[in-house]
Amino acid sequence: MIKGFARDGDLDGAQTFLRRMEAAGFRSDYSIFNVLIEAAAIRSRFDVADMAFNQMLAEGLTPSSYTLMILIKRHGREGNVQKAGELLHTLPEKYGFKVSVCSDASPPGLRVAPTNAATVASLSPFSARLIW
């Protein structure tokens, strides 16, 4: 249900359904939060993406490499390359996972400017090029 609301762009409906699930005693898992974070990031609702990530952590759930990819795209959409790089360097070690994928899928209308390419490369411990 949450994924359906999110896919339709109804983030308020997704959040409401999540609250109802939790009130009924159901526990959320990381995949539900990943859906919310990604849907919010796609729609540039960074406040909702951050709220979902913070709630995920508050509930004791561990982010995955997929969560990291979503967060990198979220901060890329906002134009915050520095924050994306910080997450790339800190989340895997902090939460005990390995980076498994670097995505080169770009959201419409957003590319890392050539002048920022060196910055992006310096933030990555990998030789792969990061493009949002």
Side-chain angles (χ1 to χ4, degrees):
M1 290 292 295
I2 290 175
K3 190 170 187 174
F5 282 117
R7 185 178 298 142
D8 288 344
D10 185 359
L11 296 175
D12 294 330
Q15 290 177 292
T16 298
F17 192 82
L18 176 61
R19 283 191 296 274
R20 287 181 180 166
M21 280 179 40
E22 290 170 342
F26 291 97
R27 182 166 157 77
S28 302
D29 64 14
Y30 74 93
S31 63
I32 289 173
F33 288 108
N34 283 345
V35 166
L36 281 173
I37 296 165
E38 187 167 33
I42 288 168
R43 287 160 185 81
S44 298
R45 292 283 311 274
F46 306 125
D47 59 326
V48 174
D50 294 344
M51 180 279 313
F53 181 64
N54 289 331
Q55 185 178 351
M56 176 184 185
L57 297 178
E59 292 187 18
L61 298 170
T62 303
S64 65
S65 62
Y66 186 71
T67 309
L68 174 62
M69 182 193 72
I70 296 166
L71 292 171
I72 288 172
K73 287 194 301 186
R74 172 256 181 267
H75 289 288
R77 280 186 173 271
E78 191 177 35
N80 193 344
V81 175
Q82 185 68 37
K83 181 65 176 178
E86 288 172 17
L87 291 171
L88 182 62
H89 283 289
T90 60
L91 253 57
E93 185 175 334
K94 184 175 183 178
Y95 293 104
F97 64 84
K98 294 183 185 218
V99 177
S100 59
V101 177
C102 286
S103 173
D104 70 349
S106 302
L110 179 65
R111 296 269 189 245
V112 175
T115 56
N116 292 334
T119 303
V120 172
S122 73
L123 297 173
S124 175
F126 308 101
S127 59
R129 206 176 59 179
L130 294 177
I131 302 175
W132 290 278

